[in-house]
Amino acid sequence: MGVTTVTDVRHTVSVDGPTESRAPNPLSPLSTLFRSDLGGHEQVLLCQDRESGLKAVIALHSTALGPALGGTRFHAYASEEHPEEAALLDALNLARGMSYKNALAGLDHGGGKAVILGDPEEIKTEKLLLAYGRFVASLGGRYVTACDVGTYVADMDVIARECPWTTGRSPEHGGAGDSSVLTAFGVFQGMRASAQACWGAPTLRGRRVGIAGVGKVGHHLVEHLLEDGAEVVVTDVRGESVDRVLARHPRVQAVRDTEALIRADLDVYAPCALGGALDDATVPVLTAKVVCGAANNQLAHPGVEKDLAGRGILYAPDYVVNAGGVIQVADELHGFDFDRAKAKAAKIFDTTLAIFDRARTDGIPPAAAADRLAEHRMAEGHDA
């Protein structure tokens, strides 16, 4: 088992916001770590356990507000030549996003994220998860992990055998269970706030909502929307995920892919899969007046938020509306109470409205307004 630690001891707050991304530099992971637009992370660990095949990145962006909290992503990156560089970039961006998310969720936690490289369906084993748990434990509580894309409650139960700083465990093992339940609830609250700001009432009744990705979070979001009286259209790269939704809710419609969905006649577009959903190709053809979804890092690059505003599309910042899951796992650290966590997640409605108000007052896009509010809280936490 081996670990490489790269540390930046400056406790700084990014002034560029959490969603900025750049194409990976294929020359060296260090060139990515120390580039100015990605600097400021307190600590980054490159982890490898040869016996189990584990290769992972753990990134701590900030502990100004408390121990870094964020999930573990298990993913096979498309870059055949440099998957490690792509994973590192993803971990850095996601960790920074968690700092902002936790700050605006009112949590006493900083931001961290981990990425395990590889296809979980092919390489995930108990031995690998236990090795990963030992790496997280080596941080001594500076990083608290949870589920993310490719990891599940059962995985957290295994990791917790080696690491006490593990959340998202099953109720049988003292945890809160599936955090996607409150993630979806929080996104729905953000969508209600968006409807209030856009159409004058906090409801999606009679609105057509398109959901890209109906996996762990998306299928719960479908339930909330149907109960509220919305018309729902879905798509997913996994056909079985769509089939599950259609079998349960025959009045839900499905389209072949995301490209067809964004061109469909929608009131709300909800990206609920991987990041980068809003880019130079997507934004010009969007028909929706509101974008509000569960995916992290939806803005593919800086400036997309201005393009959305220029087209009159109201964007609910992703790390604000998808904070229900992290609220749930944070509550687990204090002895989980679902009603208490849900009440806190319900405040995402008020936070989203406050961001829209700040954006109007300052004459800036909502994404920039959210960044300013989060950076203010992080700066106060560091100075305290």
Side-chain angles (χ1 to χ4, degrees):
M1 191 164 79
V3 61
T4 300
T5 302
V6 182
T7 303
D8 179 351
V9 297
R10 296 169 301 135
H11 292 262
T12 59
V13 175
S14 168
V15 297
D16 297 318
T19 52
E20 183 169 349
S21 61
R22 297 285 189 271
N25 184 335
L27 297 178
S28 165
L30 287 178
S31 67
T32 297
L33 285 167
F34 294 123
R35 288 171 62 185
S36 60
D37 61 336
L38 290 175
H41 288 72
E42 292 181 16
Q43 189 173 13
V44 178
L45 283 77
L46 310 179
C47 311
Q48 179 169 291
D49 180 67
R50 298 190 183 210
E51 185 177 350
S52 67
L54 172 72
K55 292 182 180 179
V57 179
I58 303 174
L60 307 187
H61 176 257
S62 171
T63 57
L65 296 175
L69 173 62
T72 296
R73 177 164 294 189
F74 204 141
H75 185 61
Y77 289 83
S79 173
E80 294 183 2
E81 294 183 0
H82 305 286
E84 295 85 359
E85 185 81 2
L88 175 59
L89 184 69
D90 205 18
L92 293 172
N93 282 327
L94 290 166
R96 184 171 51 189
M98 289 306 303
S99 288
Y100 285 69
K101 179 186 295 189
N102 293 338
L104 282 186
L107 301 177
D108 294 327
H109 285 282
K113 205 79 171 187
V115 170
I116 299 175
L117 285 77
D119 186 340
E121 295 185 3
E122 294 182 1
I123 71 168
K124 186 191 293 182
T125 63
E126 181 180 78
K127 181 182 289 187
L128 183 147
L129 293 173
L130 290 172
Y132 170 69
R134 289 192 291 273
F135 280 120
V136 176
S138 73
L139 288 164
R142 281 171 49 77
Y143 170 54
V144 180
T145 197
C147 299
D148 195 77
V149 174
T151 58
Y152 301 86
V153 170
D155 300 327
M156 295 301 114
D157 285 343
V158 174
I159 293 166
R161 285 157 51 187
E162 292 284 355
C163 177
W165 299 285
T166 305
T167 61
R169 295 163 295 151
S170 66
E172 295 78 12
H173 290 81
D178 185 5
S179 64
S180 63
V181 173
L182 287 190
T183 301
F185 177 72
V187 172
F188 178 60
Q189 298 310 312
M191 208 176 281
R192 290 180 59 242
S194 301
Q196 172 74 52
C198 194
W199 299 298
T203 178
L204 283 304
R205 180 169 297 279
R207 302 293 175 186
R208 196 164 193 244
V209 181
I211 304 176
V214 284
K216 288 198 290 186
V217 175
H219 83 277
H220 289 299
L221 182 58
V222 170
E223 304 268 355
H224 290 298
L225 289 166
L226 292 176
E227 289 175 4
D228 197 36
E231 180 182 348
V232 179
V233 187
V234 303
T235 193
D236 197 295
V237 295
R238 294 176 178 268
E240 60 269 27
S241 296
V242 173
D243 292 342
R244 176 180 62 172
V245 170
L246 297 184
R248 187 177 178 87
H249 305 290
R251 59 195 176 103
V252 171
Q253 298 176 332
V255 295
R256 67 180 183 277
D257 54 28
T258 301
E259 184 175 353
L261 184 66
I262 63 175
R263 294 175 182 271
D265 184 19
L266 301 175
D267 295 299
V268 180
Y269 173 51
C272 294
L274 295 177
L278 302 171
D279 57 22
D280 295 335
T282 302
V283 173
V285 298
L286 268 176
T287 62
K289 292 297 182 184
V290 169
V291 174
C292 178
N296 287 309
N297 294 338
Q298 292 172 25
L299 304 180
H301 60 77
V304 175
E305 73 282 1
K306 296 177 182 177
D307 296 336
L308 288 165
R311 291 204 59 224
I313 298 172
L314 182 64
Y315 171 62
D318 49 43
Y319 68 86
V320 176
V321 303
N322 68 15
V326 76
I327 289 171
Q328 178 169 327
V329 297
D331 193 86
E332 184 178 324
L333 296 171
H334 306 286
F336 183 62
D337 183 300
F338 182 81
D339 291 337
R340 179 178 62 200
K342 186 176 182 180
K344 194 159 191 174
K347 295 179 182 177
I348 290 173
F349 176 86
D350 297 320
T351 302
T352 307
L353 280 181
I355 287 166
F356 292 152
D357 289 342
R358 175 71 178 266
R360 283 192 295 270
T361 299
D362 293 355
I364 56 177
D371 290 349
R372 288 184 182 181
L373 290 170
E375 287 160 5
H376 178 71
R377 181 164 188 251
M378 282 187 278
E380 283 188 329
H382 177 248
D383 293 339

mmCIF file of all heavy atoms in Angstrom, residues 141-158:
data_model
loop_
_atom_site.group_PDB
_atom_site.id
_atom_site.type_symbol
_atom_site.label_atom_id
_atom_site.label_comp_id
_atom_site.label_asym_id
_atom_site.label_seq_id
_atom_site.Cartn_x
_atom_site.Cartn_y
_atom_site.Cartn_z
ATOM 1 N N GLY A 141 -9.559 11.681 10.338
ATOM 2 C CA GLY A 141 -10.797 12.437 10.511
ATOM 3 C C GLY A 141 -10.843 13.756 9.776
ATOM 4 O O GLY A 141 -11.851 14.465 9.848
ATOM 5 N N ARG A 142 -9.774 14.112 9.060
ATOM 6 C CA ARG A 142 -9.814 15.347 8.260
ATOM 7 C C ARG A 142 -10.750 15.217 7.062
ATOM 8 O O ARG A 142 -11.212 16.204 6.526
ATOM 9 C CB ARG A 142 -8.406 15.697 7.760
ATOM 10 C CG ARG A 142 -7.529 16.362 8.812
ATOM 11 C CD ARG A 142 -6.090 16.493 8.367
ATOM 12 N NE ARG A 142 -5.909 17.054 7.042
ATOM 13 C CZ ARG A 142 -6.017 18.349 6.734
ATOM 14 N NH1 ARG A 142 -6.343 19.217 7.687
ATOM 15 N NH2 ARG A 142 -5.814 18.775 5.509
ATOM 16 N N TYR A 143 -11.037 13.962 6.663
ATOM 17 C CA TYR A 143 -11.953 13.709 5.556
ATOM 18 C C TYR A 143 -12.969 12.663 5.982
ATOM 19 O O TYR A 143 -12.611 11.594 6.477
ATOM 20 C CB TYR A 143 -11.186 13.223 4.327
ATOM 21 C CG TYR A 143 -12.057 12.706 3.199
ATOM 22 C CD1 TYR A 143 -13.086 13.490 2.676
ATOM 23 C CD2 TYR A 143 -11.854 11.438 2.668
ATOM 24 C CE1 TYR A 143 -13.883 13.014 1.645
ATOM 25 C CE2 TYR A 143 -12.643 10.961 1.631
ATOM 26 C CZ TYR A 143 -13.654 11.749 1.126
ATOM 27 O OH TYR A 143 -14.446 11.281 0.106
ATOM 28 N N VAL A 144 -14.251 12.989 5.793
ATOM 29 C CA VAL A 144 -15.355 12.070 6.062
ATOM 30 C C VAL A 144 -15.971 11.704 4.718
ATOM 31 O O VAL A 144 -16.369 12.581 3.947
ATOM 32 C CB VAL A 144 -16.423 12.730 6.960
ATOM 33 C CG1 VAL A 144 -17.563 11.749 7.232
ATOM 34 C CG2 VAL A 144 -15.807 13.218 8.263
ATOM 35 N N THR A 145 -16.041 10.422 4.411
ATOM 36 C CA THR A 145 -16.504 10.001 3.097
ATOM 37 C C THR A 145 -17.942 9.525 3.136
ATOM 38 O O THR A 145 -18.547 9.335 4.189
ATOM 39 C CB THR A 145 -15.576 8.926 2.503
ATOM 40 O OG1 THR A 145 -15.820 8.819 1.102
ATOM 41 C CG2 THR A 145 -15.783 7.574 3.177
ATOM 42 N N ALA A 146 -18.505 9.320 1.925
ATOM 43 C CA ALA A 146 -19.895 8.895 1.765
ATOM 44 C C ALA A 146 -20.045 8.333 0.357
ATOM 45 O O ALA A 146 -19.072 8.165 -0.371
ATOM 46 C CB ALA A 146 -20.838 10.084 2.002
ATOM 47 N N CYS A 147 -21.283 8.045 -0.046
ATOM 48 C CA CYS A 147 -21.548 7.504 -1.374
ATOM 49 C C CYS A 147 -21.476 8.586 -2.445
ATOM 50 O O CYS A 147 -21.691 9.769 -2.185
ATOM 51 C CB CYS A 147 -22.932 6.866 -1.427
ATOM 52 S SG CYS A 147 -23.201 5.497 -0.303
ATOM 53 N N ASP A 148 -21.200 8.149 -3.657
ATOM 54 C CA ASP A 148 -21.270 9.008 -4.834
ATOM 55 C C ASP A 148 -21.525 8.080 -6.022
ATOM 56 O O ASP A 148 -21.880 6.914 -5.838
ATOM 57 C CB ASP A 148 -19.974 9.818 -4.996
ATOM 58 C CG ASP A 148 -20.146 10.983 -5.971
ATOM 59 O OD1 ASP A 148 -20.742 12.005 -5.578
ATOM 60 O OD2 ASP A 148 -19.702 10.864 -7.111
ATOM 61 N N VAL A 149 -21.317 8.589 -7.222
ATOM 62 C CA VAL A 149 -21.510 7.771 -8.416
ATOM 63 C C VAL A 149 -20.646 6.511 -8.318
ATOM 64 O O VAL A 149 -19.442 6.586 -8.084
ATOM 65 C CB VAL A 149 -21.142 8.571 -9.683
ATOM 66 C CG1 VAL A 149 -21.196 7.679 -10.921
ATOM 67 C CG2 VAL A 149 -22.060 9.772 -9.842
ATOM 68 N N GLY A 150 -21.261 5.364 -8.470
ATOM 69 C CA GLY A 150 -20.518 4.106 -8.467
ATOM 70 C C GLY A 150 -20.299 3.475 -7.109
ATOM 71 O O GLY A 150 -19.745 2.375 -7.021
ATOM 72 N N THR A 151 -20.715 4.148 -6.036
ATOM 73 C CA THR A 151 -20.613 3.561 -4.692
ATOM 74 C C THR A 151 -21.967 3.609 -4.011
ATOM 75 O O THR A 151 -22.777 4.509 -4.258
ATOM 76 C CB THR A 151 -19.571 4.283 -3.810
ATOM 77 O OG1 THR A 151 -19.915 5.673 -3.696
ATOM 78 C CG2 THR A 151 -18.182 4.133 -4.401
ATOM 79 N N TYR A 152 -22.186 2.656 -3.138
ATOM 80 C CA TYR A 152 -23.507 2.460 -2.560
ATOM 81 C C TYR A 152 -23.393 2.207 -1.052
ATOM 82 O O TYR A 152 -22.297 2.097 -0.509
ATOM 83 C CB TYR A 152 -24.210 1.284 -3.256
ATOM 84 C CG TYR A 152 -24.353 1.496 -4.740
ATOM 85 C CD1 TYR A 152 -23.314 1.130 -5.609
ATOM 86 C CD2 TYR A 152 -25.484 2.092 -5.274
ATOM 87 C CE1 TYR A 152 -23.435 1.340 -6.981
ATOM 88 C CE2 TYR A 152 -25.610 2.311 -6.637
ATOM 89 C CZ TYR A 152 -24.581 1.935 -7.485
ATOM 90 O OH TYR A 152 -24.694 2.168 -8.833
ATOM 91 N N VAL A 153 -24.570 2.128 -0.412
ATOM 92 C CA VAL A 153 -24.623 1.937 1.031
ATOM 93 C C VAL A 153 -23.830 0.699 1.444
ATOM 94 O O VAL A 153 -23.068 0.726 2.421
ATOM 95 C CB VAL A 153 -26.090 1.838 1.496
ATOM 96 C CG1 VAL A 153 -26.156 1.394 2.963
ATOM 97 C CG2 VAL A 153 -26.807 3.178 1.317
ATOM 98 N N ALA A 154 -23.984 -0.400 0.713
ATOM 99 C CA ALA A 154 -23.253 -1.624 1.058
ATOM 100 C C ALA A 154 -21.745 -1.415 0.993
ATOM 101 O O ALA A 154 -20.994 -1.995 1.794
ATOM 102 C CB ALA A 154 -23.669 -2.760 0.121
ATOM 103 N N ASP A 155 -21.292 -0.583 0.064
ATOM 104 C CA ASP A 155 -19.860 -0.281 -0.025
ATOM 105 C C ASP A 155 -19.391 0.493 1.197
ATOM 106 O O ASP A 155 -18.291 0.250 1.721
ATOM 107 C CB ASP A 155 -19.562 0.536 -1.285
ATOM 108 C CG ASP A 155 -19.941 -0.199 -2.555
ATOM 109 O OD1 ASP A 155 -19.835 -1.439 -2.580
ATOM 110 O OD2 ASP A 155 -20.364 0.465 -3.518
ATOM 111 N N MET A 156 -20.215 1.439 1.652
ATOM 112 C CA MET A 156 -19.834 2.222 2.829
ATOM 113 C C MET A 156 -19.756 1.331 4.073
ATOM 114 O O MET A 156 -18.902 1.537 4.943
ATOM 115 C CB MET A 156 -20.833 3.369 3.066
ATOM 116 C CG MET A 156 -20.844 4.410 1.965
ATOM 117 S SD MET A 156 -19.229 5.203 1.693
ATOM 118 C CE MET A 156 -18.864 4.600 0.024
ATOM 119 N N ASP A 157 -20.627 0.330 4.149
ATOM 120 C CA ASP A 157 -20.550 -0.602 5.275
ATOM 121 C C ASP A 157 -19.209 -1.331 5.295
ATOM 122 O O ASP A 157 -18.626 -1.569 6.365
ATOM 123 C CB ASP A 157 -21.693 -1.625 5.198
ATOM 124 C CG ASP A 157 -23.037 -1.036 5.593
ATOM 125 O OD1 ASP A 157 -23.055 0.043 6.216
ATOM 126 O OD2 ASP A 157 -24.066 -1.669 5.284
ATOM 127 N N VAL A 158 -18.703 -1.681 4.113
ATOM 128 C CA VAL A 158 -17.404 -2.352 4.035
ATOM 129 C C VAL A 158 -16.284 -1.383 4.397
ATOM 130 O O VAL A 158 -15.400 -1.701 5.217
ATOM 131 C CB VAL A 158 -17.173 -2.935 2.620
ATOM 132 C CG1 VAL A 158 -15.758 -3.507 2.506
ATOM 133 C CG2 VAL A 158 -18.211 -4.003 2.310
#
